[in-house]
Amino acid sequence: MVATDDERRAVMKLAHQHLAKDDALGWFEALYAQSDTSGKGVPWANMTPNPFLLSWLEDNEIVAIGRKTLVVGCGLGDDAEALSHHGCVVTAFDVSASAIALCKQRFADTSVDYQVADLFDPPQAWAQSFDFVYESVTVQALPPQLQERAMRQIAGFVAPGGHLLAMTWARPADVEPKGPPWPPAIGVPQTYLEAGLRQLDYQQTPVQDEPPLWHLRIVFERANLAV
C-alpha cells in the first residue's frame, strides 16, 4: 500500500500537534486508532514484510532459528511474523495499544507474543535478555532529541552474545529533516557503539537521488562475557 501525499501531510500534522503538547509518543496511538487491518492512513504500513529484512534472512536464516527475539515498534506486525516464520521465538511490542490489537486481529493464530510497551519504560525483565533484537525505522519516527535515548534503550535489550539488526533511512549530514520521519545522518550511529555493541556489518543502499536518501542495514553484536 502506497501512502498518498494527503495521508503523509495528515500524519505530519498529527505528529506536530502532539509534539507541541510535549507528547512525543502520543501520535502513534492517535494514528493507529484511526486505522484498521488494511493499514489505511499509516504511511509505512505496506502490509508485507520489509524486503530488506527478507533479503537479510535469506542469507542469515540459520542465525535466526530458535533465537529469543524482540521486535521494536512492531506496527502492524508483518516483520514480526516474518521473523517467526523463519524460526525466531518472537516478542513484538508497540507503544500503541491499537496497533497491537490490529496485529492480533490480522494474525489470530500467530505464535508471536504481541505486547503493548513503551520503549522508554520497558519491562525490567527485558534488559539484556534477547538473543536477537530487530529495529526498523522506529528510531527515525522519533524526534531527534529522543533518538540517542531510544538507541541506548534498544541496545540494552541485547543479551551477551546477542545481535541487533537495525534498519533506517538516512540523509546527508548537512540536511535537516522536517519530520516525521526524522532520518539520522548517514553512517553508523555511534550511540549503539557507546552502549556496548560492536558493529559486524554495514550496508547502505541508495533509494532516492534528490534529495539524497539511503537505506541502512546494520548488524551489531554484544560481546559474550561467559567464561
Side-chain angles (χ1 to χ4, degrees):
M1 181 178 65
V2 178
T4 67
D5 289 341
D6 285 344
E7 286 175 330
R8 294 183 186 280
R9 282 191 289 267
V11 169
M12 291 182 71
K13 180 179 179 181
L14 181 65
H16 285 282
Q17 286 174 341
H18 281 267
L19 289 171
K21 298 184 291 186
D22 197 27
D23 180 14
L25 302 183
W27 67 279
F28 295 108
E29 171 58 22
L31 178 64
Y32 283 108
Q34 298 172 7
S35 188
D36 57 26
T37 54
S38 74
K40 72 174 183 179
V42 182
W44 53 83
N46 294 320
M47 315 309 289
T48 187
N50 186 330
F52 291 101
L53 170 62
L54 294 180
S55 66
W56 185 87
L57 284 169
E58 288 177 4
D59 296 331
N60 297 275
E61 183 171 22
I62 193 66
V63 176
I65 293 175
R67 303 192 82 189
K68 183 180 178 183
T69 297
L70 183 69
V71 177
V72 177
C74 64
L76 295 180
D78 293 283
D79 288 354
E81 294 296 322
L83 286 161
S84 178
H85 177 75
H86 281 78
C88 295
V89 180
V90 181
T91 297
F93 78 93
D94 202 282
V95 72
S96 167
S98 293
I100 294 300
L102 291 171
C103 288
K104 292 178 178 180
Q105 290 178 45
R106 293 186 67 209
F107 307 107
D109 297 323
T110 187
S111 62
V112 175
D113 178 15
Y114 287 106
Q115 298 190 29
V116 180
D118 184 341
L119 174 60
F120 299 112
D121 187 23
Q124 292 184 358
W126 289 3
Q128 293 195 22
S129 65
F130 290 91
D131 304 315
F132 186 71
V133 176
Y134 171 70
E135 184 278 314
S136 177
V137 303
T138 297
V139 172
Q140 72 174 42
L142 300 170
Q145 64 269 25
L146 290 180
Q147 290 185 1
E148 288 191 4
R149 182 182 170 198
M151 286 186 277
R152 287 193 294 270
Q153 290 289 109
I154 292 166
F157 298 135
V158 182
H163 297 87
L164 164 66
L165 174 60
M167 298 189 186
T168 186
W169 305 109
R171 57 176 170 81
D174 59 350
V175 174
E176 289 298 325
K178 296 180 180 179
W182 293 270
I186 192 167
V188 178
Q190 292 300 303
T191 303
Y192 286 128
L193 306 179
E194 295 166 0
L197 306 182
R198 68 183 184 99
Q199 176 195 336
L200 294 183
D201 187 47
Y202 177 90
Q203 181 182 87
Q204 63 181 52
T205 304
V207 293
Q208 181 175 292
D209 293 330
E210 189 58 41
L213 192 68
W214 297 267
H215 182 273
L216 306 186
R217 190 175 70 187
I218 315 173
V219 180
F220 299 92
E221 179 184 52
R222 184 181 298 283
N224 192 338
L225 302 181
V227 178

